[in-house]
Amino acid sequence: MERSPTITTVVLDQFERPLRNLRLSVTDRCNLRCSYCMPEQDYVWLPREDILHFEEIERLVDVFTDLGVDKVRLTGGEPLLRRDLPILVKGLAARPAIRDLALTTNGVLLADAAPALKAAGLHRLTVSLDTLQADRFRDLTRSNDLPRVLDGIAAAAPHFPGLKIDTVVIRGTNDDELVALLEFGRRYGAEVRFIEYMDVGGATHWSMDKVVPRDEMLARIATHYGSAVAVDEHSSAPADRYRLPDGTIFGIIASTTAPFCADCDRSRLTADGIWYLCLYAAGGVDLRRALRDGASRTELVELIRGIWVNRRDRGAEDRLAMRDRAPLIPIDTLRRDPHLEMHTRGG
Ligand code: SAM
Ligand code: SF4
Ligand code: SF4
C-alpha cells in the first residue's frame, strides 16, 4: 500500500458538500434484468481489459480516503458476480479510514456468499427486493430466482444485523405490497426502504405516472398501521426514516419528488475506473487512464480535488424542474455509451 502523502482536510464542492461517500461498481454484469434498470434485450458491456483489478481499486480508494471519503459501498451491476469479491472486501475492511463498508446486492448469490463476506469484514448489507410474489418477480426481473433471493436474505440476516431491504416502488406493479414487505422485513429484523422510481439512464420505460410519491406511500402505510412518525435525525443519508406505532422503523427514499442533492456527498466509480460526480451526469473522469499512465497518489489526489471543488451537480433537482419529463436517455444513445446505464454507474 503506497503511503498517504498528506492526510487532507475535508474538500468541499461549490455548494459546500464534502466528498465522503464512494459508490464503487465492481462489475457492469448482472444476473437479473429489472424492468426499471435493464429492460432491453441487448446490452453493450465494458471491455474486460478495462475492468480495474483489485489492486487498482484499492489504490484509487486510498486516494479517495485521503480526500475525506470514509464511506464505501460496493455495487454494480451485481457485485456478487465479481470473482473473489471477499478478497477485495478484506483489503478495504483493513483500511481504518473506511468507517463504513457496505454492499448492495440483488441477493441471488447471497446465501453462499454471506458467511465469506462477513468473515472478510463487510460492515453492512443491503438487499434489493421489490416483490414477494413469484410471478411478479419473473415479470420484473425476467428470472425465476425469487426463492434464491429469499434464501439469501434468510442466510445473511444472522450475519448482518440491521440488514436493509431496498424496494423500488412502481405504480401498478408492486405498490400494493408495501405492507407485505414491511412484515417480511420485520421477520428478519431488516429495515425496509421504499425508493421512488427514478428516471436514471437505463430506465427507458420510466414515466412520471409510474412514480408513487413519498406522501402517497405514507398514506397507504398509515391505512394499515396508523400514522408513521418521522424519526428526528440529521444525516446526509438519502432515506427519510419513519417509526410505525408498533416501533418498526422503515425508510423512504424520495429521490424523484423530493431530491436530496443539497446534501449529496456521493460520487461513483465504474468498474472500468470512470468517476461520476452525479448519478445523472452526462460524462465522467477517466481515472483508469491516469492510474495506468503511472500517476502517483499525490497526483491523483490533486486531480480529484481539483474536480470536486468545482462540482455543481444537482441532477435530480434539475430533473424535477423540468416540464414534460420523459426517460433521461434514449436507447440509441445508451447503446453508444454503456457508462450512461444505471447498472454500469452503480446505484
Ligand atoms: N444489482 C444490485 C442490486 O440490484 O441491488 C446492485 C446494483 S443496482 C443498480 C443498485 C440499486 O439501484 C438497486 O437497489 C436498484 O433497485 C436501484 N435502481 C436501479 N434502477 C433504479 C430506478 N430506475 N429507480 C430507482 N432505483 C433504481
Ligand atoms: Fe436489477 Fe441491480 Fe441488476 Fe439493475 S443491477 S438489473 S437493479 S439486479
Ligand atoms: Fe447527488 Fe446527483 Fe443524486 Fe442529486 S442527483 S443526490 S447530486 S447523485
Side-chain angles (χ1 to χ4, degrees), residues 43-255:
Y43 284 89
V44 178
W45 306 108
L46 300 175
R48 283 198 184 275
E49 64 273 18
D50 288 355
I51 303 299
L52 297 181
H53 306 295
F54 287 167
E55 314 81 70
E56 293 176 314
I57 294 176
E58 290 180 8
R59 281 189 59 200
L60 286 177
V61 166
D62 286 336
V63 170
F64 280 100
T65 57
D66 286 347
L67 288 160
V69 165
D70 59 3
K71 297 179 83 172
V72 173
R73 178 172 293 275
L74 300 172
T75 178
E78 173 45 40
L80 299 186
L81 287 177
R82 179 80 189 242
R83 198 185 305 153
D84 295 329
L85 188 70
I87 293 177
L88 177 65
V89 170
K90 194 170 178 191
L92 297 178
R95 289 165 156 78
I98 302 177
R99 204 174 40 85
D100 183 29
L101 179 61
L103 177 138
T104 300
T105 172
N106 63 29
V108 174
L109 301 172
L110 185 58
D112 285 343
L117 292 170
K118 180 68 182 178
L122 184 71
H123 301 165
R124 294 193 304 123
L125 186 67
T126 300
V127 184
S128 302
L129 175 66
D130 304 317
T131 178
L132 296 165
Q133 301 179 20
D135 54 339
R136 276 193 187 168
F137 188 89
R138 200 175 315 118
D139 291 346
L140 256 167
T141 66
R142 283 188 269 151
S143 134
N144 288 316
D145 279 334
L146 178 62
R148 297 182 73 186
V149 177
L150 301 182
D151 286 351
I153 292 172
H159 294 289
F160 294 97
L163 177 84
K164 293 204 168 59
I165 293 177
D166 278 5
T167 302
V168 180
V169 180
I170 303 179
R171 191 181 303 284
T173 297
N174 64 346
D175 54 332
D176 57 351
E177 284 193 71
L178 305 187
V179 170
L181 285 158
L182 284 169
E183 294 296 319
F184 175 82
R186 193 149 47 182
R187 217 180 306 155
Y188 292 105
E191 185 171 318
V192 179
R193 304 188 310 172
F194 298 113
I195 307 173
E196 289 181 354
Y197 186 12
M198 296 170 70
D199 55 346
V200 287
T204 44
H205 295 209
W206 182 93
S207 63
M208 194 66 201
D209 59 356
K210 292 184 191 151
V211 177
V212 181
R214 174 178 52 195
D215 289 350
E216 190 178 332
M217 292 192 218
L218 284 171
R220 289 185 187 206
I221 290 167
T223 308
H224 186 85
Y225 293 104
S227 290
V229 178
V231 176
D232 198 12
E233 58 190 357
H234 182 76
S235 104
S236 67
D240 293 324
R241 298 171 82 226
Y242 299 88
R243 183 178 288 107
L244 292 174
D246 66 9
T248 304
I249 304 271
F250 68 96
I252 296 186
I253 303 183
S255 14

Side-chain angles (χ1 to χ4, degrees), residues 30-34 36-38 76-78 106 343:
C30 193
N31 43 5
L32 297 184
R33 290 287 180 274
C34 300
Y36 49 77
C37 179
M38 300 183 72
E78 173 45 40
N106 63 29
H343 70 270

